[in-house]
Structures are given as structure tokens and as C-alpha cells.
Amino acid sequence: MSPSGFFLDAGVADVAYAWTSNTGYTSTDKIIYPTEPGTYYLQVTAADGCAETDVVEVKETTQKIKASFLIPSEVAVEEEVHFVQLTEPEPLSFKWTFGDGFSSVRANPSYIYYRAADYTVSLTVSNGVCSDTEEKLLRVLEFRPSEPATDKVRLLELYRSNLYPNPAEDVVKIDLELSDEAPVLVQIFNLSGLKVAEYEFVGIEELVEFNMSGMTPGSYIMAIQSGRISKTIRFVKTF
């Protein structure tokens, strides 16, 4: 296999394959792994002697792309799930699959699961030259263990979530207000999905400060979770 993972697939099965190239490359395999740019010619021949040809131009590019996204690890049935793409620079196209047969081409879709199960969520992104896919597991529960399984619980609302300054240099603040006292988890992730900071509290209002002075300049995602509330805010850390 090519170290880059790039391959060409003849597609059809149970025929004879003949690959050639102006690079000198030859192969009789169905799938090949070119290691250098060039023109690759394919001839497939069926058992009755019928043959078809195709040509593929392989070009070298530095426009690589790496898919990255953020989702909670657990949600409850009928809870709105927010999917946040973290790929930088921003791709030209997105393809989300939610693991239950449904999909979306929005950059940051929301979705609701109606059956408890484990789902494999995937995001495929493309910059018009290259594409990449990342997968993560999402567990959907009948209800969160920390929450009563009843419809009579008052719905928690997020009244205020002001992040400032943005861009931020050394300190970033988030001013939060909820409709009721509740546990709140605030996390900061870099665009690789790595958590770099976290703060938890129980209350109605809170001003949370994060020291960003030791962090690399760039874009970050702040994720706020409380009960069934899930919100993300993108901000920039400058020099």
C-alpha cells in the first residue's frame, strides 16, 4: 500500500486488468497504489474478450485536508445534537452521516435521535482536490443517568452566553446565565479536537475566565453543556 493511502480502483470484478503508465508503472491488480504523478491507463477484459479502457491523470498537490469535528460522547433520546466541524481551512463541501441511515451536507448540522443505541457518526470533507473522512462513536441513551426520566421536569434554558474578547490574546471570558440552577460544563478544544481547558460549576450565573497565554495562536471551539443544552462558540487566539 502507498504510504499516503492513495489508490486507484478498476471498479468492476472478475475481469482481467492491465494497468500501464507513462511513469513505467505496470500492474494486473484490480486496485493499484501509485507513488508518483503521471498518466495511468487501464484496460479491463472480460472472459468473452470484450475490453474497455480508461485513463486517469494523477497530479501532485500540497492541498491536503484532514477532517475533524466535535460531538458529545453521550446524549439522550430526543435531545438535539449539535455537530461542529473543526476542519481548517474550511472545506468546500461536507457530508455527514449520522449512523442511522440519514445524512446532511450542512457545515454544522443539528440532529435528533429517537432510538437508544450506539451510532457511528462520520464527516467527509473536500477542498475540491483532496477529501478525508473522520468517524466517532455517539451513544444515545434512553435518558441521562443524572436526569429524572420524566416529562414533568422544567426545561432548562440558556439565557446568556457572551464570549469576549474575540479575538483574544491572553484571557478569554464567557458570561453565562441559565433559567435555573444546574451543573454546567465549559470546555475549550483546539481544531484537532483536543481538549485544552475545562471548568465546571453549579449555578444560574457565572463569569468564567480562561488563561490562553500559553496556547498556540489559532482558532478554538468553546463547548457549553448543561442538561440538554449544548452550545459551541468559535473564537480566535492571537499572538
Side-chain angles (χ1 to χ4, degrees):
M1 180 180 291
S2 166
S4 66
F6 176 76
F7 64 90
L8 298 175
D9 189 338
V12 293
D14 302 322
V15 296
Y17 312 100
W19 292 92
T20 58
S21 172
N22 59 358
T23 66
Y25 180 91
T26 62
S27 176
T28 56
D29 294 330
K30 177 176 178 291
I31 300 175
I32 64 171
Y33 301 88
T35 56
E36 56 184 320
T39 304
Y40 290 79
Y41 305 91
L42 169 66
Q43 177 173 299
V44 294
T45 306
D48 61 2
C50 182
E52 291 288 344
T53 61
D54 199 2
V55 180
V56 179
E57 190 75 26
V58 176
K59 297 181 179 180
E60 190 172 13
T61 179
T62 58
Q63 299 182 52
K64 295 181 180 179
I65 192 168
K66 178 66 177 174
S68 179
F69 65 92
L70 176 64
I71 57 172
S73 58
E74 290 185 350
V75 297
V77 169
E78 298 187 13
E79 177 178 351
E80 188 174 34
V81 186
H82 301 281
F83 300 83
V84 181
Q85 87 83 18
L86 302 178
T87 312
E88 286 286 345
E90 186 161 319
L92 294 177
S93 66
F94 307 86
K95 176 64 179 295
W96 294 87
T97 60
F98 302 127
D100 61 352
F102 290 90
S103 61
S104 174
V105 294
R106 296 183 61 187
N108 299 292
S110 297
Y111 191 68
I112 296 176
Y113 292 88
Y114 294 96
R115 187 171 66 86
D118 288 344
Y119 297 92
T120 299
V121 177
S122 71
L123 171 63
T124 300
V125 295
S126 172
N127 58 12
V129 179
C130 298
S131 62
D132 188 52
T133 300
E134 183 179 36
E135 294 183 347
K136 290 185 179 182
L137 182 68
L138 174 62
R139 177 158 294 173
V140 179
L141 309 173
E142 290 291 349
F143 60 91
R144 289 186 184 274
S146 59
E147 297 179 357
T150 173
D151 294 333
K152 297 181 180 179
V153 177
R154 182 181 173 185
L155 182 64
L156 186 67
E157 295 182 71
L158 180 61
Y159 287 158
R160 186 175 69 245
S161 56
N162 299 325
L163 183 148
Y164 64 93
N166 188 11
E169 185 174 348
D170 294 323
V171 175
V172 64
K173 302 178 183 181
I174 181 73
D175 184 17
L176 298 170
E177 181 183 1
L178 301 169
S179 57
D180 290 291
E181 185 175 75
V184 182
L185 174 63
V186 183
Q187 298 172 302
I188 295 179
F189 298 86
N190 62 22
L191 293 186
S192 297
L194 178 67
K195 182 173 66 179
V196 297
E198 180 178 289
Y199 181 81
E200 293 183 82
F201 70 93
V202 177
I204 296 179
E205 293 185 76
E206 188 87 357
L207 178 61
V208 184
E209 294 188 10
F210 290 96
N211 186 346
M212 303 288 292
S213 59
M215 298 183 188
T216 304
S219 296
Y220 289 84
I221 298 291
M222 180 175 290
I224 304 162
Q225 290 183 304
S226 181
R228 295 194 174 191
I229 292 172
S230 179
K231 181 172 183 177
T232 56
I233 306 173
R234 186 185 293 253
F235 69 95
V236 175
K237 198 275 184 193
T238 60
F239 290 94

